[in-house]
Amino acid sequence: LVSSKKLVAQAMWSYYNWVHDQVAANTPWDQFARKIVTAQGSTLENGAANFYVLREDPRDMSETVSQAFLGMSINCAKCHNHPMEKWTNDQYFKMANLFARVRKKSGVVGENIIFAAASGDLVQPLRGKPQVPAPLDGQAVAMEDTAVRRLPLAVWLVAPENPYFTRAIVNRVWANYLGVGLVEKVDDLRETNPASNEKLQGALADFLAGQKYDLRALMRAILQSETYQRTSDPLLENTGDDRFYARYYPKRLMAEVLLDAVSEAAAAPTTFKGYPAGWRATQLPDSNIDSYFLKSFGRPDREKTCECERTANPSISQVLHLSNGDTLQQKLTAKNNRIDQLLAAKVTPEKFVEETYLACLARFPTEPERLALTKVLADAPEESRRAAAEDVFWAVLSSKEFLFNH
C-alpha cells in the first residue's frame, strides 16, 4: 500500500515507481512477492523496502503478507485460536517470528535502511516465550540460525505446492474482471469458505503456475473466456444469480477509472494539485490527494491491507454529485472541451449526438436515441444552444451505460 501518510515524498515515489516498473515489465507474480517479502537496503534505491517502513511490528508484517499474498486474515489468531479457521495462536506467533529480526536505520534525508539482525525474537504473550519461527503449515527455521529468516519464508510462500498463494491471486484477478470472486470475500480464503466453483479455481491456479505466474496470460485467458463475454442482460432463469456467472454482473467503474473516463470523454483533463497537467487519477501514487469525486465513489484510503477499503456501493452522495456536483459541471463548461470543439466546427445536431455517443459510449446512437436528442438540440433557441449541448452530453455521460461495465 503506497502511502505518503507514512512515507516521505522521496520514499513514496521510490515505492510507487518500483511497483509501476514491476507491473510494466510483467514481473511474474511469484517473483514480485519474493522481492517484496525479502526486500532490504535503501528505501530510496530499492522501493520495495518501503514495505517494512509502513509496517514496523512483526505481527503487522506477518498479517499483511498473509492478507496480500495468501488472501486470508490471520488477525484473530493473535489473541486466541482462530474461531473459523485452523490457525492457532502458536502458529500465528511462529509466522510473526519470521519477521522479528527486520530492522531499519536512518540513512540520508528521507532514507531508511532495511536490514536483518542476527538475533532477536518475538515473545508470545500467552506462553511468555518465543515460538520457533515457521510459515503457516511450513517447515520451521532453527531458532539459533542467523540467516535471514524471510528467505525460507519466501521460498514457502511462492512454492507451487502452497495451496493458498496461487489460488489467492487468481481469485483476485477473477474478481477484478467478473465483479464477484470465486471466493467471496477475496480476502477470506479458508476451508470453511469454499469457492463457488472449486474445480475452476483449481484449474486457474494450475494454469497460472504452468504459465510461470505470468499474470497477463491469466488475464488474457479470463478475458477470452465465454464466461467473461456473457451478456449482462438477465434471463428469467438467471435473474437471481449473483454467484455462479450465468450472466455478466454489471459493476460500476472504479473511482479513479471513472474520473479518467469522464475527463477523456469530455476532453477536459482533471487538474491535481502538485501534479503535471494531464496527470490521470489512475496515475496518482497514493490516496493523499483531495478529491470529493474520488472519495464519493469509493477510493480506498490505503490504511489497511484489505479489499474492503474500496467500495462500489451506490450512495446518495454519488447521485447528487453526478446530478449537480461541480466535477461534471466543470467538465461540461471547460474551455476547449469536446463540446466547444463540436460547436466550433458547426456540426449539425445529428452529428453532435453521434460524436457524443462515440466519445462517451464508443458506439453510434440507436435511432430512437438519435431522434430524441437531436430534437433537444434542434428545438433549442440559438442563445440556449450551448446549454442544450451540455444537457445532451451530461445525459449520456451520467447514463448507466457509461458508469458501468456491463
Side-chain angles (χ1 to χ4, degrees):
L1 295 174
V2 181
S3 173
S4 60
K5 294 178 181 178
K6 293 185 177 181
L7 297 175
V8 297
Q10 306 99 301
M12 182 271 291
W13 279 109
S14 175
Y15 197 4
Y16 170 80
N17 288 329
W18 183 86
V19 174
H20 180 276
D21 292 345
Q22 298 300 310
V23 173
N26 194 31
T27 299
W29 182 245
D30 58 337
Q31 294 181 30
F32 180 93
R34 184 191 296 270
K35 289 178 180 180
I36 287 277
V37 172
T38 62
Q40 57 186 24
S42 167
T43 55
L44 301 187
E45 296 176 3
N46 179 14
N50 286 287
F51 177 88
Y52 292 106
V53 177
L54 294 170
R55 298 153 190 88
E56 300 184 15
D57 188 293
R59 290 163 291 193
D60 192 18
M61 297 173 190
S62 176
E63 291 173 10
T64 302
V65 167
S66 299
Q67 193 94 64
F69 297 117
L70 303 176
M72 59 187 183
S73 172
I74 62 172
N75 305 28
C76 287
K78 177 161 50 179
C79 301
H80 48 74
N81 294 341
H82 201 300
M84 295 182 292
E85 192 51 284
K86 65 179 183 177
W87 310 122
T88 66
N89 184 248
D90 287 351
Q91 286 178 299
Y92 176 96
F93 278 92
K94 287 180 180 180
M95 178 77 166
N97 205 17
L98 289 165
F99 298 93
R101 296 179 181 178
V102 177
R103 300 285 189 274
K104 74 172 183 177
K105 61 183 178 181
S106 298
V108 299
V109 177
E111 178 189 44
N112 282 290
I113 308 297
I114 304 300
F115 65 99
S119 62
D121 289 293
L122 177 66
V123 174
Q124 180 187 11
L126 288 180
R127 302 197 183 278
K129 62 181 182 179
Q131 284 284 345
V132 176
L136 301 171
D137 283 348
Q139 186 173 353
V141 178
M143 194 82 85
E144 62 276 9
D145 192 339
T146 58
V148 179
R149 290 176 174 179
R150 288 174 290 144
L151 295 177
L153 168 64
V155 171
W156 167 84
L157 181 71
V158 304
E161 57 269 22
N162 186 330
Y164 307 105
F165 178 73
T166 313
R167 290 168 65 89
I169 188 58
V170 300
N171 190 52
R172 290 186 190 277
V173 175
W174 180 274
N176 179 70
Y177 289 113
L178 276 298
V180 178
L182 291 163
V183 174
E184 279 289 333
K185 302 274 197 256
V186 295
D187 291 321
D188 193 23
L189 268 66
R190 49 186 164 83
E191 291 183 3
T192 51
N193 184 31
S196 59
N197 189 326
E198 287 286 342
K199 288 185 178 180
L200 175 57
Q201 189 179 28
L204 286 170
D206 290 343
F207 173 82
L208 181 61
Q211 294 293 318
K212 298 182 179 179
Y213 292 92
D214 182 341
L215 291 184
R216 289 182 186 173
L218 174 64
M219 295 173 191
R220 186 179 302 112
I222 292 174
L223 295 175
Q224 291 178 338
S225 69
E226 291 184 8
T227 304
Y228 179 78
Q229 295 177 25
R230 284 175 179 156
T231 179
S232 60
D233 294 332
L235 301 173
L236 180 62
E237 295 81 2
N238 64 20
T239 292
D241 172 47
D242 60 3
R243 193 77 177 86
F244 299 101
Y245 314 101
R247 57 188 173 88
Y248 187 83
Y249 309 127
K251 61 188 182 75
R252 203 204 67 226
L253 300 180
M254 290 189 293
E256 299 90 337
V257 176
L258 181 55
L259 182 55
D260 285 344
V262 169
S263 302
E264 182 69 23
T270 301
T271 300
F272 297 105
K273 185 178 180 180
Y275 293 89
W279 200 267
R280 293 174 176 266
T282 48
Q283 291 178 285
L284 292 171
D286 76 340
S287 60
N288 194 18
I289 184 77
D290 186 28
S291 171
Y292 182 79
F293 184 97
L294 294 177
K295 182 178 180 180
S296 296
F297 283 86
R299 175 192 61 184
D301 292 328
R302 298 191 184 183
E303 295 177 350
K304 298 184 292 184
T305 308
C306 176
E307 290 290 335
C308 59
E309 272 206 323
R310 181 181 293 279
T311 176
N313 294 333
S315 68
I316 293 297
S317 63
Q318 294 171 11
V319 175
L320 293 175
H321 197 59
L322 290 174
S323 298
N324 52 28
D326 57 2
T327 301
L328 263 63
Q329 183 65 22
Q330 289 171 4
K331 302 297 181 188
L332 297 173
T333 58
K335 188 176 181 180
N336 297 323
N337 67 358
R338 197 173 303 278
I339 296 173
D340 268 356
Q341 295 168 20
L342 292 173
L343 294 180
K346 300 185 183 302
V347 299
T348 64
E350 291 86 352
K351 185 65 173 175
F352 184 94
V353 172
E354 180 180 291
E355 291 296 327
T356 298
Y357 268 74
L358 288 172
C360 296
L361 306 179
R363 68 170 176 86
F364 290 100
T366 64
E367 194 58 23
E369 291 167 340
R370 186 192 307 274
L371 291 174
L373 295 181
T374 296
K375 187 176 187 303
V376 171
L377 294 173
D379 291 351
E382 184 63 30
E383 65 272 14
S384 302
R385 192 178 182 212
R386 170 68 196 221
E390 291 178 6
D391 287 345
V392 167
F393 207 94
W394 171 84
V396 180
L397 205 58
S398 60
S399 67
K400 288 183 179 179
E401 186 173 350
F402 182 85
L403 300 171
F404 285 77
N405 281 336
H406 52 85

